[in-house]
RNA sequence: GACUUGGUAGCUCAGCUGGUAGAGCAUUUCACUUUUAAUGAAGGGGUCCUGGGUUCGAAUCCCAGCCAGGUCACCA
């Protein structure tokens, strides 16, 4: 809560005024004729070439009548050289002595015209002929320095500040931008892969009357005109399937989903999934499709199929191993779930020290077993296939085993990255599955799925055999950029609101500063100790009252701090 | 939700068993026409997260709260 501006902010505001007094507009309206990016300069360095570029001053080294500074634009940084007599050829040296040396600061945007040259120590630089102010920064940037060995000093590293003020993070921490460029590359790569195959990118509702397609707690909102509750989508699956019913062969959507659940290193309340549905395919086809997709994406993003994640090196090169869930459990526990009853499974879980409760059915027990004992062991991309039916209410029954479904999940470093089915298109089976979900929710499972009757009606008109795939985009980009936290791959991760800084007028602030140490103050006290007019005192007191900083005590005729 | 670590100058951080608040960078003034973590000299800058308590005295100890990170639990 900064009631007052810091010293540095005050100085910058004073510089702003002085610039205007010198006839220099610190926020000019006209376009600036940039013709080069710093990256182009470095890639095609040509001694003596004239360039016009613009960017932010990131550091300054002033040496009397000549200075060096670092200019940063969208493509990188370059050193500029400013010589007093080059930019001020006439008698008047104000532009250098006052404007550049005194009134400009780190963080300001400037535009420059100059010629390329190499310094005595071999640094490619721009010798400035003309300089213009493009935008004055009123807050000082954190100063991050890098030495000869590339070691970073005083990094801007406080996660709270970095996430709340991502704009600052992006300015001073160059590597942060790369993560987000890769993120966009990933989306573009997927779009290209799908579009090349003729699949159609679509948009489906984010506000849904029935939040379907996944088991999760939704955010709820209200539509005033219709006077009904609406939910932010937790998934878009059921809408994409309606489009398959409608006759599209392949549809996909990058879907911002919203789940009203806990937040941690791998969960943000809003996150992005990609879902794709292709008709006349099954989950075997989809596995091949998925491994080819990921191999393509990894190559597009990183230029290689290999990616480092923590201590692991992952290889996205297809094909990936396929392991049935039954086999996975046998491999890691020695226990065979095949043909076991609910009681036998519960006992097995208990024997292995896994917490279970009565609301858990067979499927949930198997899922726990897998989650506890197996999941973490799959480092390289691995398809886990054939999940129990109870856990997968939208998935087609396995062609060989009625207790299983035709489902796979892709595990990487023990985390689920993708989930896919041979989609359930039997409307009668689908209704029964939904009803089983209803029973589960009555049994205490608070995130079993709702019944979506319109979706069943759509299936009753007939949906071709279809396979669908969902990919957690945030998770995937974490793997491709070696980030352990989802916050690092979202521009603006969710945060609790900052405490509001109390902004006060000058007089209100004076009163606050003078008397906030006491519990209360009277108008007389203000009159006696501060030189403020009666009218101004009244105004300031009203302000403090309306901001609920003080309240007026009618009995004692004093203002009390709340 | 539980446990745990942290919150001190614009930024990064020190601050011992309680005794007038510290450094580096940034900033201000001065010097310096090829520096690059520029350099040299001098100065300014603080609601020590907030509120209580203990104490002659609290950045420091205790309690409560706020915010953030980590671990765990929950969780498509």
């Amino acid at each position: 809560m900064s009631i007052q501006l810091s010293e540095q902010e005050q100085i910058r505001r004073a510089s702003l005024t002085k610039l205007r007094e010198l006839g220099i507009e610190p926020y000019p309206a006209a376009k600036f004729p940039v013709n080069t990016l710093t990256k182009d300069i470095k890639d095609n360095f040509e001694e003596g070439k004239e360039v016009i570029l613009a960017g932010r001053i990131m550091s300054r080294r002033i040496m009397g009548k000549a200075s060096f500074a670092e200019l940063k634009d969208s493509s990188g940084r370059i050193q500029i050289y400013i010589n007093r007599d080059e930019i001020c050829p006439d008698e008047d040296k104000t532009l250098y002595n006052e404007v550049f040396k005194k009134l400009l600061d780190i963080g300001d945007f400037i535009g420059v015209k100059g010629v390329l040259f190499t310094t005595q120590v071999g640094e490619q630089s721009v010798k400035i002929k003309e300089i213009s102010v493009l935008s004055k920064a009123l807050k000082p940037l954190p100063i991050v320095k890098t030495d000869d060995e590339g070691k970073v000093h005083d990094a801007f590293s406080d996660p709270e500040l970095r996430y709340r003020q991502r704009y600052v993070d992006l300015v001073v921490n160059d590597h942060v931008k790369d993560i987000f460029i890769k993120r966009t590359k990933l989306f573009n790569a997927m779009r290209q892969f799908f579009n090349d195959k003729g699949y159609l990118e679509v948009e489906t509702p984010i506000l849904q009357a029935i939040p379907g397609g996944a088991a999760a707690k939704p955010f709820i909102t209200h539509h005033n005109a219709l006077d009904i509750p609406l939910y932010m989508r937790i998934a878009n699956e059921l809408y994409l399937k309606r489009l398959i019913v409608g006759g599209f062969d392949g549809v996909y959507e990058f879907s911002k989903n919203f789940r009203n659940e806990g937040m941690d290193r791998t969960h943000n309340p809003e996150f992005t999934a990609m879902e794709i549905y292709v008709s006349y395919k099954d989950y075997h086809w989809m596995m091949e499709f998925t491994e080819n997709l990921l191999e393509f994406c990894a190559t597009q993003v990183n230029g290689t199929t290999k990616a480092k994640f923590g201590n692991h090196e992952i290889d996205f090169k297809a094909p990936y191993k396929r392991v049935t869930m039954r086999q996975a459990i046998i491999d890691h526990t020695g226990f065979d779930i095949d043909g076991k009853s609910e009681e036998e499974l519960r006992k097995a879980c208990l024997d292995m020290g896994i917490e279970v409760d009565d609301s858990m059915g067979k499927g949930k027990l198997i899922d726990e077993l897998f989650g506890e004992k197996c999941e973490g062991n799959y480092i390289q991309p691995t398809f886990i296939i054939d999940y129990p039916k109870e856990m997968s209410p939208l998935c087609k029954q396995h062609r060989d085993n009625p207790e299983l479904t035709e489902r796979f999940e892709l595990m990487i470093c023990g985390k689920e990255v993708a989930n896919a089915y041979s989609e359930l298109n039997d409307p009668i089976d689908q209704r029964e599955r939904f009803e089983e979900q209803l029973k589960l929710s009555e049994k205490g499972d608070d995130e079993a799925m709702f019944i979506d009757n319109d979706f069943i009606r759509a299936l009753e008109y007939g949906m071709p055999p279809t396979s669908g795939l969902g990919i957690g985009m945030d998770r995937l980009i974490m793997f491709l950029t070696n980030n352990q936290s989802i916050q690092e791959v979202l521009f603006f991760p969710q945060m609790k609101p900052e405490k509001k800084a109390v902004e006060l007028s000058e007089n209100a602030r004076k009163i606050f500063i003078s008397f906030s140490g006491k519990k209360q103050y009277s108008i007389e006290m203000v009159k006696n100790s501060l030189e403020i007019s009666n009218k101004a005192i009244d105004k300031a007191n009203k302000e403090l009252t309306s901001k609920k900083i003080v309240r007026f005590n009618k009995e004692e005729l004093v203002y009390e701090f709340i």
Side-chain angles (χ1 to χ4, degrees), chain A residues 397-416:
Chain A
Q397 179 177 309
H398 196 280
R399 60 194 81 178
D400 300 327
N401 183 341
E403 297 219 314
L404 301 178
T405 52
E406 299 211 343
R407 170 180 183 179
F408 73 79
E409 287 194 355
L410 177 65
M411 310 298 302
I412 301 176
C413 288
K415 301 273 180 199
E416 176 216 332

Side-chain angles (χ1 to χ4, degrees), chain A residues 264-463:
Chain A
D264 63 24
R265 227 166 71 245
T266 55
H267 296 82
N268 194 65
E270 57 183 285
F271 65 100
T272 306
M274 190 295 303
E275 296 213 8
I276 181 165
Y277 291 80
V278 183
S279 56
Y280 311 114
K281 309 295 185 193
D282 65 7
Y283 77 138
H284 291 297
W285 179 89
M286 189 58 88
M287 274 188 261
E288 214 179 310
F289 183 81
T290 303
E291 59 199 9
N292 290 332
L293 170 71
L294 292 187
E295 180 181 332
F296 177 76
C297 288
T299 311
Q300 290 292 303
V301 170
N302 285 330
T304 166
T305 58
K306 293 196 164 68
K308 257 203 152 63
F309 188 72
N311 297 325
H312 303 301
E313 180 163 322
I314 318 161
D315 194 345
F316 284 95
K317 184 147 188 58
Y320 307 155
K321 241 194 248 169
R322 281 106 166 118
V323 181
T324 64
M325 183 165 260
R326 176 187 166 201
Q327 191 60 46
I329 294 174
I330 292 172
D331 288 347
H332 296 103
T333 70
F335 182 75
D336 188 352
I337 56 173
D338 191 42
K340 295 292 190 297
S341 70
E342 188 175 318
E343 275 322 302
E344 286 170 308
L345 285 167
R346 181 166 286 121
K347 185 176 177 304
C349 281
L350 285 169
D351 289 349
M352 289 181 230
I354 299 168
E355 277 186 42
V356 294
D357 63 60
D358 290 346
S359 79
M360 291 178 177
K362 225 167 144 175
K364 184 90 181 161
L365 290 166
I366 292 169
D367 192 57
E368 285 290 318
L369 206 49
F370 178 76
E372 286 290 317
K373 297 290 174 190
C374 309
E375 200 171 58
N377 296 303
Y378 296 100
I379 304 303
Q380 293 304 320
T382 306
F383 293 118
I384 303 298
I385 67 174
D386 300 345
Y387 281 63
K389 195 168 172 180
E390 196 184 327
M391 296 303 296
S392 315
L394 301 168
C395 183
K396 188 174 274 191
Q397 179 177 309
H398 196 280
R399 60 194 81 178
D400 300 327
N401 183 341
E403 297 219 314
L404 301 178
T405 52
E406 299 211 343
R407 170 180 183 179
F408 73 79
E409 287 194 355
L410 177 65
M411 310 298 302
I412 301 176
C413 288
K415 301 273 180 199
E416 176 216 332
V417 172
N419 182 22
Y421 308 146
S422 296
E423 301 296 336
L424 177 54
N425 61 346
D426 174 343
I428 293 169
D429 191 358
Q430 183 65 77
R431 182 177 294 281
E432 284 168 7
R433 302 274 197 102
F434 274 142
E435 275 158 8
E436 278 159 30
Q437 289 290 305
L438 202 62
K439 275 181 214 150
L440 279 179
S441 84
E442 281 158 8
K443 222 170 153 184
D445 188 341
D446 59 352
E447 8 185 80
M449 291 186 192
F450 290 70
I451 298 185
D452 186 335
N453 284 309
D454 176 71
F455 172 66
I456 293 170
R457 178 168 61 190
L459 292 188
E460 284 169 350
Y461 282 102
M463 182 171 89

Side-chain angles (χ1 to χ4, degrees), chain A residues 142-145 152-157:
Chain A
I143 307 295
V144 179
K145 299 210 173 190
V152 176
H153 299 261
D154 300 333
F156 178 62
S157 55

Side-chain angles (χ1 to χ4, degrees), chain A residues 76-206:
Chain A
R77 302 171 182 230
I78 196 157
Q79 176 170 271
I80 58 176
Y81 173 68
I82 298 134
N83 184 300
R84 187 191 67 181
D85 298 329
E86 294 270 359
I87 63 166
C88 305
D90 303 327
E91 285 304 301
D92 183 6
K93 306 297 184 191
T94 313
L95 184 62
Y96 182 77
N97 286 336
E98 286 300 312
V99 177
F100 177 74
K101 276 171 74 174
K102 302 255 173 82
L103 303 181
L104 286 180
D105 294 288
I106 289 172
D108 293 352
F109 281 91
I110 56 170
V112 295
K113 195 183 220 175
V115 293
L116 305 189
F117 80 110
T118 309
T119 64
Q120 289 178 358
V121 279
E123 172 115 10
Q124 297 177 336
S125 309
V126 185
K127 185 182 287 176
I128 301 308
K129 303 283 185 195
E130 289 173 31
I131 182 166
S132 9
V133 180
L134 298 183
S135 181
K136 178 85 194 138
L138 295 183
K139 280 183 177 293
L141 285 174
I143 307 295
V144 179
K145 299 210 173 190
T146 311
D147 65 19
D148 306 348
E149 292 146 25
K151 209 175 144 201
V152 176
H153 299 261
D154 300 333
F156 178 62
S157 55
D158 180 335
E160 179 166 7
L161 289 176
R162 287 185 51 232
Y163 301 148
R164 285 196 198 281
Q165 303 182 39
R166 181 70 89 182
Y167 34 89
V168 175
D169 190 30
L170 286 163
V171 172
V172 301
N173 292 329
D174 291 334
H175 61 277
V176 173
K177 206 172 185 176
D178 298 338
I179 297 169
F180 292 99
I181 291 171
K182 284 186 173 183
R183 187 177 167 115
T184 298
K185 279 186 181 167
L186 172 65
F187 280 73
N188 289 343
M190 277 199 185
R191 282 203 170 93
Q192 188 191 331
F193 192 87
F194 298 151
N195 291 346
D196 285 353
K197 293 183 165 45
Y199 304 141
L200 191 72
E201 181 166 9
V202 298
E203 290 185 286
T204 64
I206 292 173

